[in-house]
Amino acid sequence: MTGRAALTNARRQILQALGAGALLATGWQLSPVARAAKAYAVTRTDAQWKAQLTPQQYQVLRQAGTERPFSSPLNDEKRAGTFSCAGCQAPLFSSATKFDSGTGWPSFWKPLPDAVEKKSDRSYGMVRDETLCARCGGHLGHVFDDGPKPTGLRYCMNGLALAFTAGTPPAV
């Protein structure tokens, strides 16, 4: 590399680092980062989560990953029943609140009472509300304000984060 090319390359790296630092200083994240520890009713070590979950479930639930759209069989689940956390089995959503959002992920307009919590997510240069299991803190997906009535919300969930049990759905 010539002296001029090396200087240009060094300049580019410095500007990129400064830009990333400015984003991080304002609260923006370039990618998901480990969340601060919070006391949840269900806690496990990282090794225990890895032993319990499939690698894909671990990536979604414990590392805030996202599955490919239209890849989950739960997206097409139409039976009556309960959608629970795949990590701790806490009931999260009634099938009575499920709808086809056309996004490729199981979507619901309302969670069960006290089943989920929201957290601000500023990853990838966006501001969104992340949805977590209130019992184990597992990442479920995100909630948006473009859903159907009566709530106007769309809880866009990763199918890998959910387990389905057919039967009488919980009341909403």
Side-chain angles (χ1 to χ4, degrees), residues 72-137:
S72 173
L74 293 181
N75 192 45
D76 297 321
E77 182 59 66
K78 306 278 191 244
R79 296 176 292 168
T82 305
F83 292 84
S84 301
C85 176
C88 71
Q89 293 71 49
L92 302 172
F93 297 95
S94 168
S95 61
T97 65
K98 188 173 186 287
F99 69 99
D100 184 359
S101 66
T103 61
W105 290 280
S107 297
F108 306 85
W109 50 265
K110 180 182 179 183
L112 294 173
D114 303 316
V116 303
E117 59 185 40
K118 290 191 265 183
K119 178 182 159 226
S120 180
D121 176 0
R122 293 175 168 242
S123 63
Y124 302 110
M126 297 180 272
V127 178
R128 305 176 286 175
D129 285 328
E130 179 182 13
T131 304
L132 306 170
C133 173
R135 192 153 112 193
C136 73

Coordinates of all heavy atoms in Angstrom, one line a residue, residues 72-137:
S72 N -41.6 -20.0 10.5 CA -42.1 -20.7 11.7 C -43.5 -21.3 11.4 O -44.4 -20.6 10.8 CB -42.3 -19.7 12.8 OG -43.1 -20.3 13.9
P73 N -43.7 -22.6 11.7 CA -45.0 -23.2 11.5 C -46.1 -22.5 12.4 O -47.3 -22.5 12.1 CB -44.8 -24.6 12.0 CG -43.4 -24.8 12.4 CD -42.7 -23.5 12.2
L74 N -45.7 -21.8 13.5 CA -46.7 -21.1 14.3 C -47.3 -19.9 13.6 O -48.3 -19.4 14.0 CB -46.0 -20.7 15.6 CG -45.6 -21.8 16.6 CD1 -45.0 -21.2 17.8 CD2 -46.7 -22.7 16.8
N75 N -46.6 -19.4 12.6 CA -47.2 -18.3 11.8 C -48.6 -18.8 11.2 O -49.5 -18.0 11.1 CB -46.3 -17.9 10.7 CG -46.7 -16.6 10.0 OD1 -47.0 -15.6 10.7 ND2 -46.6 -16.5 8.7
D76 N -48.7 -20.0 10.8 CA -49.9 -20.5 10.2 C -50.8 -21.3 11.2 O -51.8 -21.9 10.8 CB -49.6 -21.5 9.0 CG -48.8 -20.7 7.9 OD1 -49.2 -19.6 7.7 OD2 -47.9 -21.3 7.4
E77 N -50.5 -21.3 12.5 CA -51.3 -22.0 13.5 C -52.6 -21.3 13.7 O -52.7 -20.1 13.9 CB -50.6 -22.0 14.8 CG -51.3 -22.8 15.9 CD -51.6 -24.2 15.6 OE1 -50.6 -25.0 15.5 OE2 -52.7 -24.6 15.5
K78 N -53.7 -22.1 13.5 CA -55.1 -21.5 13.5 C -55.9 -22.1 14.6 O -57.0 -21.7 14.9 CB -55.8 -21.8 12.2 CG -55.0 -21.3 10.9 CD -55.2 -19.8 10.7 CE -54.7 -19.5 9.3 NZ -53.6 -18.6 9.3
R79 N -55.4 -23.1 15.3 CA -56.2 -23.8 16.4 C -56.4 -22.9 17.6 O -55.6 -22.0 17.8 CB -55.6 -25.1 16.8 CG -55.6 -26.1 15.7 CD -54.8 -27.4 16.1 NE -53.4 -27.1 16.3 CZ -52.5 -27.9 16.8 NH1 -52.9 -29.1 17.3 NH2 -51.3 -27.5 16.9
A80 N -57.4 -23.2 18.4 CA -57.6 -22.5 19.7 C -56.5 -23.0 20.6 O -56.2 -24.2 20.6 CB -59.0 -22.8 20.2
G81 N -56.0 -22.1 21.5 CA -55.0 -22.6 22.4 C -54.2 -21.4 23.0 O -54.6 -20.2 22.9
T82 N -53.1 -21.8 23.6 CA -52.2 -20.8 24.3 C -50.8 -20.8 23.7 O -50.2 -21.9 23.5 CB -52.1 -21.2 25.8 OG1 -53.5 -21.2 26.3 CG2 -51.3 -20.1 26.6
F83 N -50.3 -19.6 23.5 CA -48.9 -19.5 23.0 C -48.1 -19.1 24.3 O -48.4 -18.1 24.9 CB -48.8 -18.4 21.9 CG -49.4 -18.8 20.6 CD1 -50.8 -18.6 20.5 CD2 -48.7 -19.4 19.6 CE1 -51.4 -19.0 19.3 CE2 -49.3 -19.7 18.4 CZ -50.6 -19.5 18.3
S84 N -47.1 -19.9 24.6 CA -46.3 -19.7 25.8 C -44.8 -19.5 25.4 O -44.4 -19.7 24.3 CB -46.3 -21.0 26.6 OG -47.6 -21.3 27.0
C85 N -44.0 -19.0 26.4 CA -42.6 -18.8 26.2 C -41.9 -20.2 26.0 O -42.1 -21.1 26.8 CB -42.0 -18.1 27.4 SG -40.2 -17.8 27.3
A86 N -41.1 -20.3 25.0 CA -40.4 -21.5 24.8 C -39.3 -21.7 25.8 O -38.8 -22.8 26.0 CB -39.8 -21.5 23.4
G87 N -38.9 -20.7 26.5 CA -37.8 -20.8 27.5 C -38.3 -21.2 28.9 O -37.7 -22.0 29.5
C88 N -39.5 -20.6 29.3 CA -39.9 -20.9 30.7 C -41.4 -21.4 30.7 O -41.9 -21.6 31.8 CB -39.7 -19.7 31.5 SG -40.9 -18.3 31.2
Q89 N -42.0 -21.5 29.6 CA -43.4 -22.0 29.5 C -44.4 -21.1 30.1 O -45.6 -21.5 30.3 CB -43.5 -23.5 30.1 CG -42.8 -24.5 29.3 CD -41.3 -24.5 29.5 OE1 -40.8 -24.4 30.6 NE2 -40.6 -24.5 28.4
A90 N -44.1 -19.9 30.3 CA -45.1 -18.9 30.9 C -46.1 -18.6 29.8 O -45.7 -18.3 28.6 CB -44.4 -17.6 31.3
P91 N -47.4 -18.7 30.0 CA -48.4 -18.3 29.0 C -48.3 -16.9 28.7 O -48.2 -16.0 29.5 CB -49.8 -18.6 29.8 CG -49.4 -19.4 30.9 CD -48.0 -19.1 31.3
L92 N -48.3 -16.6 27.3 CA -48.0 -15.2 26.9 C -49.2 -14.6 26.1 O -49.6 -13.5 26.3 CB -46.8 -15.2 26.0 CG -45.5 -15.7 26.6 CD1 -44.4 -15.7 25.5 CD2 -45.1 -14.7 27.7
F93 N -49.8 -15.4 25.2 CA -50.8 -15.0 24.3 C -51.9 -16.0 24.1 O -51.7 -17.2 24.0 CB -50.3 -14.7 22.9 CG -49.2 -13.6 22.8 CD1 -47.9 -13.9 22.9 CD2 -49.6 -12.2 22.8 CE1 -46.9 -12.9 22.9 CE2 -48.7 -11.2 22.7 CZ -47.3 -11.5 22.8
S94 N -53.2 -15.5 24.0 CA -54.3 -16.3 23.7 C -54.4 -16.4 22.2 O -54.2 -15.4 21.5 CB -55.6 -15.8 24.3 OG -56.7 -16.4 23.8
S95 N -54.8 -17.6 21.7 CA -55.1 -17.7 20.2 C -56.2 -16.7 19.8 O -56.3 -16.3 18.6 CB -55.4 -19.1 19.8 OG -56.6 -19.5 20.5
A96 N -57.0 -16.3 20.7 CA -58.1 -15.3 20.4 C -57.6 -14.0 19.9 O -58.3 -13.2 19.3 CB -59.1 -15.2 21.6
T97 N -56.3 -13.7 20.2 CA -55.7 -12.4 19.8 C -54.8 -12.5 18.7 O -54.2 -11.5 18.3 CB -55.0 -11.7 21.0 OG1 -53.9 -12.5 21.4 CG2 -56.0 -11.6 22.2
K98 N -54.6 -13.7 18.1 CA -53.7 -13.9 17.0 C -54.4 -13.4 15.7 O -55.6 -13.6 15.5 CB -53.3 -15.4 16.9 CG -52.2 -15.6 15.9 CD -51.8 -17.1 15.9 CE -50.6 -17.4 15.1 NZ -50.9 -17.4 13.6
F99 N -53.6 -12.8 14.8 CA -54.1 -12.4 13.5 C -53.0 -12.5 12.5 O -51.8 -12.6 12.8 CB -54.6 -11.0 13.6 CG -53.6 -9.9 13.7 CD1 -53.1 -9.2 12.6 CD2 -53.1 -9.6 15.0 CE1 -52.2 -8.2 12.8 CE2 -52.1 -8.6 15.2 CZ -51.7 -7.9 14.1
D100 N -53.4 -12.6 11.2 CA -52.4 -12.7 10.1 C -52.0 -11.3 9.7 O -52.7 -10.5 9.1 CB -53.0 -13.4 8.9 CG -52.0 -13.6 7.8 OD1 -50.8 -13.2 7.9 OD2 -52.3 -14.2 6.8
S101 N -50.8 -10.9 10.1 CA -50.3 -9.5 9.8 C -49.7 -9.4 8.4 O -49.4 -8.3 8.0 CB -49.3 -9.1 10.9 OG -48.1 -9.9 10.8
G102 N -49.4 -10.6 7.8 CA -48.7 -10.6 6.5 C -47.2 -10.3 6.6 O -46.6 -10.2 5.6
T103 N -46.7 -10.2 7.8 CA -45.3 -9.9 8.0 C -44.4 -11.2 7.9 O -43.2 -11.1 7.8 CB -45.0 -9.2 9.3 OG1 -45.4 -10.1 10.4 CG2 -45.8 -7.9 9.3
G104 N -45.0 -12.4 8.2 CA -44.2 -13.6 8.2 C -43.9 -14.1 9.6 O -43.1 -15.0 9.7
W105 N -44.4 -13.4 10.6 CA -44.1 -13.8 12.0 C -45.5 -13.9 12.7 O -46.4 -13.1 12.4 CB -43.3 -12.8 12.7 CG -41.8 -12.7 12.3 CD1 -40.9 -13.6 12.7 CD2 -41.2 -11.8 11.4 NE1 -39.7 -13.3 12.0 CE2 -39.9 -12.2 11.3 CE3 -41.7 -10.7 10.7 CZ2 -39.0 -11.5 10.5 CZ3 -40.8 -10.0 9.9 CH2 -39.5 -10.4 9.8
P106 N -45.6 -14.8 13.7 CA -46.9 -14.9 14.4 C -47.1 -13.5 15.1 O -46.2 -12.9 15.7 CB -46.6 -15.9 15.5 CG -45.4 -16.7 15.0 CD -44.6 -15.8 14.1
S107 N -48.3 -13.0 14.9 CA -48.7 -11.7 15.4 C -49.9 -11.7 16.3 O -50.9 -12.5 16.0 CB -48.9 -10.7 14.3 OG -47.7 -10.5 13.5
F108 N -50.0 -10.9 17.3 CA -51.1 -10.8 18.3 C -51.4 -9.4 18.5 O -50.5 -8.5 18.5 CB -50.6 -11.5 19.6 CG -50.1 -12.9 19.4 CD1 -48.8 -13.2 19.1 CD2 -51.0 -14.0 19.5 CE1 -48.3 -14.5 18.9 CE2 -50.5 -15.3 19.3 CZ -49.2 -15.5 19.0
W109 N -52.6 -9.1 18.9 CA -53.0 -7.7 19.2 C -53.0 -7.4 20.7 O -53.1 -6.3 21.1 CB -54.3 -7.2 18.5 CG -55.5 -8.1 18.7 CD1 -55.9 -9.1 17.9 CD2 -56.4 -8.1 19.8 NE1 -57.1 -9.7 18.4 CE2 -57.4 -9.1 19.6 CE3 -56.5 -7.4 21.0 CZ2 -58.5 -9.4 20.4 CZ3 -57.6 -7.6 21.8 CH2 -58.5 -8.6 21.6
K110 N -52.8 -8.4 21.5 CA -52.8 -8.2 23.0 C -52.2 -9.4 23.7 O -52.5 -10.5 23.4 CB -54.2 -8.0 23.5 CG -54.3 -7.8 25.0 CD -55.8 -7.6 25.4 CE -55.9 -7.4 26.8 NZ -57.4 -7.3 27.2
P111 N -51.2 -9.2 24.6 CA -50.7 -10.3 25.4 C -51.6 -10.6 26.6 O -52.5 -9.8 26.9 CB -49.3 -9.7 25.9 CG -49.6 -8.3 26.0 CD -50.5 -7.9 24.9
L112 N -51.4 -11.7 27.2 CA -52.1 -12.0 28.5 C -51.6 -11.0 29.6 O -50.5 -10.5 29.5 CB -51.8 -13.4 28.9 CG -52.4 -14.5 27.9 CD1 -51.9 -15.9 28.3 CD2 -53.9 -14.4 27.9
P113 N -52.4 -10.8 30.6 CA -52.1 -9.8 31.6 C -50.7 -10.2 32.3 O -50.5 -11.3 32.7 CB -53.2 -9.9 32.6 CG -54.4 -10.5 31.9 CD -53.8 -11.4 30.8
D114 N -49.9 -9.2 32.4 CA -48.6 -9.3 33.1 C -47.6 -10.3 32.5 O -46.7 -10.8 33.1 CB -48.7 -9.5 34.6 CG -49.6 -8.5 35.2 OD1 -49.4 -7.3 35.0 OD2 -50.5 -8.8 36.0
A115 N -47.9 -10.7 31.2 CA -47.1 -11.8 30.6 C -45.8 -11.3 29.9 O -44.8 -12.0 29.9 CB -47.9 -12.5 29.6
V116 N -45.9 -10.1 29.4 CA -44.7 -9.5 28.7 C -44.3 -8.1 29.3 O -45.1 -7.5 29.9 CB -44.9 -9.4 27.2 CG1 -45.3 -10.7 26.6 CG2 -46.0 -8.4 26.8
E117 N -43.1 -7.7 29.0 CA -42.7 -6.4 29.3 C -42.0 -5.8 28.1 O -41.6 -6.5 27.2 CB -41.7 -6.4 30.5 CG -40.5 -7.1 30.3 CD -39.6 -7.2 31.6 OE1 -40.2 -7.3 32.7 OE2 -38.4 -7.1 31.5
K118 N -42.1 -4.5 28.0 CA -41.5 -3.8 26.9 C -40.2 -3.1 27.3 O -40.1 -2.6 28.4 CB -42.4 -2.7 26.3 CG -43.6 -3.3 25.6 CD -44.4 -2.3 24.8 CE -45.5 -1.8 25.7 NZ -46.4 -0.8 24.9
K119 N -39.3 -3.0 26.4 CA -38.0 -2.3 26.6 C -37.6 -1.6 25.3 O -37.8 -2.1 24.2 CB -36.9 -3.4 27.0 CG -35.6 -2.8 27.2 CD -34.6 -4.0 27.5 CE -33.2 -3.5 27.2 NZ -32.4 -4.4 26.4
S120 N -37.1 -0.4 25.5 CA -36.7 0.4 24.3 C -35.5 -0.3 23.6 O -34.6 -0.7 24.3 CB -36.3 1.8 24.7 OG -35.9 2.5 23.6
D121 N -35.6 -0.5 22.3 CA -34.6 -1.1 21.6 C -34.1 -0.2 20.5 O -34.8 0.2 19.6 CB -35.1 -2.4 20.9 CG -34.2 -3.1 20.0 OD1 -33.0 -2.7 19.8 OD2 -34.6 -4.1 19.4
R122 N -32.8 0.2 20.6 CA -32.2 1.2 19.6 C -31.2 0.5 18.7 O -30.3 1.2 18.2 CB -31.6 2.4 20.4 CG -32.7 3.2 21.1 CD -32.0 4.3 21.9 NE -33.1 5.2 22.4 CZ -33.1 6.5 22.0 NH1 -32.1 7.0 21.3 NH2 -34.1 7.2 22.4
S123 N -31.3 -0.8 18.5 CA -30.3 -1.5 17.7 C -30.6 -1.2 16.2 O -31.7 -0.8 15.8 CB -30.4 -3.0 18.0 OG -31.6 -3.5 17.6
Y124 N -29.6 -1.3 15.4 CA -29.6 -1.2 14.0 C -30.2 0.2 13.5 O -30.8 0.3 12.5 CB -30.5 -2.3 13.4 CG -29.9 -3.7 13.7 CD1 -30.6 -4.5 14.6 CD2 -28.7 -4.1 13.2 CE1 -30.1 -5.8 14.9 CE2 -28.2 -5.4 13.5 CZ -28.9 -6.2 14.4 OH -28.4 -7.4 14.7
G125 N -29.9 1.2 14.3 CA -30.3 2.6 13.9 C -31.8 2.8 13.9 O -32.3 3.8 13.3
M126 N -32.6 2.0 14.7 CA -34.0 2.2 14.8 C -34.4 2.3 16.2 O -33.7 1.9 17.1 CB -34.8 1.0 14.2 CG -34.5 0.7 12.7 SD -35.5 -0.8 12.2 CE -34.3 -2.1 12.6
V127 N -35.6 2.9 16.5 CA -36.1 2.9 17.8 C -37.4 2.1 17.8 O -38.3 2.4 17.0 CB -36.5 4.4 18.3 CG1 -37.1 4.4 19.6 CG2 -35.2 5.2 18.2
R128 N -37.4 1.0 18.5 CA -38.5 0.1 18.6 C -38.7 -0.3 20.0 O -37.9 -0.1 20.9 CB -38.2 -1.2 17.8 CG -37.8 -0.9 16.3 CD -37.5 -2.2 15.6 NE -36.2 -2.7 16.1 CZ -35.7 -3.9 15.7 NH1 -36.4 -4.7 14.9 NH2 -34.5 -4.3 16.1
D129 N -39.9 -0.9 20.3 CA -40.2 -1.5 21.6 C -40.0 -3.0 21.5 O -40.7 -3.7 20.8 CB -41.6 -1.2 22.1 CG -41.8 0.2 22.5 OD1 -40.8 0.8 23.0 OD2 -42.9 0.8 22.3
E130 N -38.9 -3.5 22.2 CA -38.7 -4.9 22.3 C -39.7 -5.5 23.3 O -40.0 -4.9 24.3 CB -37.2 -5.1 22.8 CG -36.9 -6.6 23.0 CD -35.4 -6.8 23.5 OE1 -34.8 -5.8 24.0 OE2 -35.0 -7.9 23.5
T131 N -40.1 -6.7 23.0 CA -41.0 -7.5 23.9 C -40.3 -8.6 24.5 O -39.7 -9.4 23.8 CB -42.2 -8.0 23.1 OG1 -42.9 -6.9 22.4 CG2 -43.2 -8.7 24.0
L132 N -40.3 -8.7 25.8 CA -39.6 -9.7 26.6 C -40.6 -10.5 27.4 O -41.7 -10.0 27.8 CB -38.6 -9.1 27.6 CG -37.6 -8.1 27.0 CD1 -36.8 -7.4 28.1 CD2 -36.6 -8.9 26.1
C133 N -40.3 -11.8 27.7 CA -41.1 -12.6 28.6 C -40.9 -12.0 30.0 O -39.8 -11.8 30.4 CB -40.7 -14.0 28.6 SG -41.4 -15.1 29.8
A134 N -42.0 -11.7 30.7 CA -41.9 -11.1 32.0 C -41.4 -12.0 33.0 O -41.0 -11.6 34.1 CB -43.3 -10.5 32.4
R135 N -41.5 -13.3 32.8 CA -41.0 -14.3 33.7 C -39.5 -14.7 33.6 O -38.9 -14.9 34.6 CB -41.9 -15.6 33.6 CG -41.7 -16.5 34.8 CD -42.9 -17.4 35.0 NE -42.6 -18.8 34.7 CZ -43.5 -19.7 34.5 NH1 -44.8 -19.4 34.6 NH2 -43.1 -20.9 34.3
C136 N -39.0 -14.8 32.4 CA -37.6 -15.2 32.3 C -36.7 -14.1 31.5 O -35.5 -14.3 31.4 CB -37.5 -16.5 31.6 SG -37.9 -16.5 29.8
G137 N -37.4 -13.1 31.0 CA -36.6 -12.0 30.3 C -36.2 -12.4 28.8 O -35.4 -11.7 28.2

